[in-house]
Amino acid sequence: MPLIPTGSIFSSAKRETVFEASPLSSPVQRERLVSLDVFRGLIIAGMILVTDPGTYAAVYRPLLHAAWNGWTPTDMIFPGFLFIIGVSMVLSVASRARRGDSKGRIAWHVIQRCVLLCVLGLILNGFPYFNLHTLRIPGILQRIALCYLCGGALYLATLKKGTGEAKANIGIIVGVIVALLAGYWAILKFYPVPGFGPGRIDSLGNLGAYIDRLIFGTQHMWAYGLTPGDGVTYDPEGLLSTLPAIASLLIGILAGEGLRGRQSASRRILKFAAVGVVLLLAGWLLNPLLPINKRIWTSTFVLFSSGFSFMAFALCYWIVDIRRWRAWAYPALVLGTNAIFAFALSTIITASFDAIQAHTSSGPVPLHALGYSYIFATWLAPIHASLAYAICIVLLNMAMVAPLYRKRIFLRI
């Protein structure tokens, strides 16, 4: 998700994602890092797949979020997206700096993009009814926007000019990551939440949920953030838990800086895999102190999911850019090169299929339920039918975005 000058909500631009090749190349070559788009596309496909089952009553366990503490593969999707934003930011800023863009100009585009992402997120939250009394204020795009703004500001502030291109001050970024994760743990552990006391990390009594209820009111929070007997009590994209989410993006920035290093591709992959293992183990070992929990984005969740992202991206990088096995990657490239547009489109399709009703002999039925019941559930077991429906929605989104990819049109906010 490179930083692109934006004059409107959507801008069309040619791809300029680059990385420094091995120092064996002279002069230093700059090649497209195709694995970046492929990885992003796989994440978008995963997002669509897990949010569009035929019915939530029949879903394979790995395609559901953990009920509260713990993790599933689905829980790794959103932090993976923040991770890849951090990687992309480093490579994009390097590219723009070579073209002569100043820090101030790049910073202004970061601010613009943050605002537009927030606006788009609110629009998607309200679609198709736009009831301002129940409009959800937090959201996925809003969290991306805030992480992008804070991560971009820190990265630009730490850039320093050396003998070659500008490089970030890694020590400062690592220090901020440690401060965010340690500080968030301390707040959750020791701050006495009014009416609940310290150390509460349940869906009702944790500090983040309390702050969101206080600021937004439950009518403007995620309608499915429920605590039995208490109704809506929390939002998974709330304000306080955005702080550790920023750390997820900053870890992606560290990965991006690692890609710019002058070292062989095999060494780079081994380093990414090793870092991934260390972070995975750190999150797992610290789990007794603070459970891995995506809903409130605990510090251990950041470590564990970042380790997962490092290892998954290393594998994707090896397959796509080192071995150059790319024949399978077309669907991921279609979605990954227009990621935000694909995400917005999938949200619109999902909301429309739930809102539009078809008249049947049994009465009005939403298109979603009609498609699942009459196309898949008539000949497949419920869990298979539910997955088949979700796969078709992924393919539908890909088919609608594919013409843009074929025409080399890349829509960016």
Side-chain angles (χ1 to χ4, degrees), residues 30 55 91 99 157 268 291 294 304 373 376 382:
R30 289 179 170 84
T55 173
L91 305 182
R99 299 200 304 266
R268 185 180 289 132
K294 187 265 179 189
F304 191 89
S373 300
F376 299 105

Side-chain angles (χ1 to χ4, degrees), residues 228-244:
D230 292 289
V232 174
T233 60
Y234 76 96
D235 195 297
E237 279 76 51
L239 286 176
L240 185 64
S241 60
T242 298
L243 293 176

Side-chain angles (χ1 to χ4, degrees), residues 9 20 38 81 94 98 104 107 143 168 184 211-212 232 244 260 314 317 321 330 350 357 371 385:
I9 292 183
E20 280 81 17
V38 171
F81 197 67
R98 283 192 297 271
R143 169 158 288 182
Y184 187 58
I211 290 174
D212 292 335
V232 174
R260 296 182 65 200
Y317 177 46
D321 284 313
Y330 177 80
T350 299
Q357 305 211 355

Side-chain angles (χ1 to χ4, degrees), residues 195-219:
F196 299 98
R200 293 282 295 265
I201 57 169
D202 57 283
S203 59
L204 176 65
N206 76 84
L207 180 59
Y210 174 82
I211 290 174
D212 292 335
R213 294 195 298 267
L214 190 65
I215 293 178
F216 300 127
T218 56
Q219 72 274 20

Side-chain angles (χ1 to χ4, degrees), residues 42-47 50 72-82:
L42 291 173
I43 290 173
I44 292 295
M47 283 183 175
V50 303
T72 70
T74 296
D75 292 319
M76 301 295 106
I77 292 174
F78 193 6
F81 197 67
L82 291 176

Side-chain angles (χ1 to χ4, degrees), residues 287-362:
N287 182 65
L289 294 179
L290 183 64
I292 294 171
N293 186 309
K294 187 265 179 189
R295 304 280 184 172
I296 55 176
W297 214 279
T298 55
S299 305
T300 47
F301 174 74
V302 173
L303 295 173
F304 191 89
S305 61
S306 296
F308 190 94
S309 296
F310 261 105
M311 297 179 71
F313 180 68
L315 178 62
C316 188
Y317 177 46
W318 181 76
I319 291 173
V320 175
D321 284 313
I322 306 306
R323 302 300 299 175
R324 295 187 178 273
W325 295 334
R326 299 177 178 177
W328 62 275
Y330 177 80
L333 283 170
V334 167
L335 295 173
T337 50
N338 279 297
I340 295 296
F341 176 71
F343 174 81
L345 181 64
S346 72
T347 303
I348 292 170
I349 289 174
T350 299
S352 298
F353 280 19
D354 286 338
I356 299 173
Q357 305 211 355
H359 293 281
T360 69
S361 57
S362 303

